[in-house]
Amino acid sequence: MKRVLQLAVIATVVWSIPAPAQVSAPEIAFDSTADTLKWPDNIHMGEAAGVATNSRGDIFVFTRTGHPAVTYGTSRPFAHGGARLVQFDKSGKYVREIGQDLYGFLVAQQVRIDPQDNVWAVDQMSSMVIKFDPAGQIQLLLGRKPENVRNPSLPLGPAPAPRGGGPALPAGAGASQDVFNRPTDMAWDAAGNIYVADGLANARIAKFDKNGVFVKSWGATGSASGMFNGVHGIAIDAQGTVYVADSGNRRIQVFDGNGTFKTQYANIGTPAAICLSPGAHQYLYSSNSNAPEDFDNNGEIYKMELDGKVIGKFGTVGKQVKQFGTVNAIDCRNENELYVAELANWRVQKLALHAK
């Protein structure tokens, strides 16, 4: 007889390092709408893990909803459920669900839209990055869903051993291949190379060419330059510079496209969700995301120049409109019109910043 084991999955964030003093920044005035998305009666928003828009302005939400489960009684455990990818038009009207009951959907983590309007979903627990074309058909897979599923209550395991033997890898370095351990985000450069933030159990950035062939990776667990403690976000500017939200170390690290460390930005709280606006003058947005159990501290979002200069900040922690609860994703296709996905408040807010 089959038994179903419900998985209690909690988003892991490392908050153990003392926070440096945060930079003083002017407040940016903004308006917010929290009910833009019109969900059908049979689909309910859970934790809003990812939000992104395509070239038409359609809105894609990757949400943790449903019931993750492991079914026993067959040749091996089968884990399924718990994540849904939903598309709305620019007015917020429901369009369709993509990948319903997909084998690789367990715990939604992030969704990104590339310049060709392909939809990329990052699933934390299946450890997969899944590319859909604009019609919703699967085109590319990175990573592999584990044959067995780790008990979420147990400590995170070590990096997988290298294929064919060899010396042990540094903690968090991961294997030199597309085997992830709770990835969090992904991005592309102008040549189409793919960068994956393999960042909750591992602590690295993995680079692939446009066809999904592994190129290299960098990073390991630690606090030195080029090391990470919870990689939560990644973004790449028009020149190919890579920005990484190193949440546990409370900084954004900056690299070239080959992983060479360039600089870091601190004093902006605990960066988790980061986003780069398009155009000739790009801006970097970074959330100072509060811990899910803490609604008394942090929560604001910073607007920055690419050299790390803080232009201003907006929002506070809380549950009301214009407040934020554990921001996990920011879409900034339009510099002054943002979509913000919140884990703790189970919603997506549409923000309109007041340009000066």
Side-chain angles (χ1 to χ4, degrees):
M1 180 177 180
K2 294 183 179 180
R3 296 180 297 158
V4 177
L5 174 64
Q6 300 296 327
L7 300 180
V9 181
I10 300 175
T12 302
V13 182
V14 183
W15 310 93
S16 58
I17 295 177
Q22 288 166 217
V23 67
S24 176
E27 294 289 334
I28 297 174
F30 73 104
D31 296 313
S32 175
T33 304
D35 60 353
T36 298
L37 305 180
K38 309 305 179 186
W39 292 80
D41 292 340
N42 63 332
I43 301 179
H44 301 280
M45 170 80 92
E47 292 181 335
V51 63
T53 58
N54 66 13
S55 63
R56 298 189 304 274
D58 286 0
I59 308 155
F60 297 78
V61 177
F62 202 21
T63 179
R64 300 172 183 172
T65 191
H67 300 283
V70 176
T71 303
Y72 290 93
T74 58
S75 58
R76 62 183 176 89
F78 178 73
H80 54 93
R84 303 183 81 163
L85 177 58
V86 183
Q87 179 180 353
F88 303 84
D89 69 17
K90 62 182 179 181
S91 72
K93 180 182 178 181
Y94 172 81
V95 174
R96 60 174 175 168
E97 182 174 357
I98 300 172
Q100 186 173 10
D101 297 322
L102 191 71
Y103 177 74
F105 280 3
L106 279 176
V107 176
Q109 182 61 32
Q110 194 57 264
V111 61
R112 297 290 190 184
I113 311 296
D114 69 21
Q116 292 74 42
D117 279 347
N118 297 302
V119 182
W120 297 71
V122 181
D123 191 282
Q124 180 196 134
M125 192 55 69
S126 72
S127 291
M128 296 192 70
V129 177
I130 303 166
K131 175 186 177 182
F132 301 89
D133 66 18
Q137 300 301 308
I138 294 174
Q139 298 299 308
L140 181 68
L141 302 173
L142 294 175
R144 188 171 188 274
K145 185 176 177 180
E147 292 288 337
N148 58 329
V149 178
R150 184 187 66 83
N151 185 331
S153 67
L154 298 178
L156 296 175
R163 289 178 180 173
L169 296 166
S176 296
Q177 56 196 33
D178 65 332
V179 176
F180 308 126
N181 198 345
R182 300 181 74 187
T184 54
D185 201 357
M186 54 92 61
W188 316 264
D189 61 22
N193 294 307
I194 305 161
Y195 298 74
V196 176
D198 187 16
L200 288 186
N202 286 335
R204 66 165 182 157
I205 303 299
K207 179 179 179 179
F208 304 84
D209 71 15
K210 63 182 181 180
N211 298 314
V213 177
F214 179 81
V215 175
K216 67 180 302 181
S217 66
W218 69 87
T221 302
S223 58
S225 298
M227 303 180 79
F228 306 109
N229 183 9
V231 184
H232 266 79
I234 185 170
I236 300 174
D237 69 18
Q239 285 69 48
T241 303
V242 181
Y243 302 79
V244 178
D246 183 10
S247 300
N249 289 320
R250 291 185 165 90
R251 64 188 178 185
I252 294 174
Q253 293 198 65
V254 184
F255 304 88
D256 69 16
N258 291 314
T260 302
F261 176 81
K262 299 178 70 173
T263 188
Q264 68 179 32
Y265 309 145
N267 303 324
I268 49 173
T270 302
I274 60 176
C275 183
L276 281 166
S277 64
H281 189 154
Q282 294 186 274
Y283 294 98
L284 175 64
Y285 294 89
S286 176
S287 68
N288 178 18
S289 292
N290 60 294
E293 69 276 5
D294 182 1
F295 272 92
D296 296 318
N297 299 286
N298 306 327
E300 72 276 8
I301 297 174
Y302 289 90
K303 182 178 182 180
M304 306 164 62
E305 298 284 3
L306 299 193
D307 63 2
K309 177 184 176 181
V310 174
I311 298 170
K313 64 180 180 179
F314 50 94
T316 59
V317 68
K319 301 177 182 295
Q320 304 304 311
V321 176
K322 300 179 69 172
Q323 295 182 321
F324 303 123
T326 317
V327 172
N328 201 64
I330 302 170
D331 177 87
C332 59
R333 185 178 290 269
N334 182 320
E335 173 195 337
N336 292 312
E337 183 179 282
L338 312 182
Y339 290 91
V340 174
E342 304 168 66
L343 294 177
N345 287 331
W346 292 19
R347 68 183 177 190
V348 171
Q349 293 192 63
K350 180 180 180 180
L351 311 184
L353 306 187
H354 296 182
K356 293 183 179 179

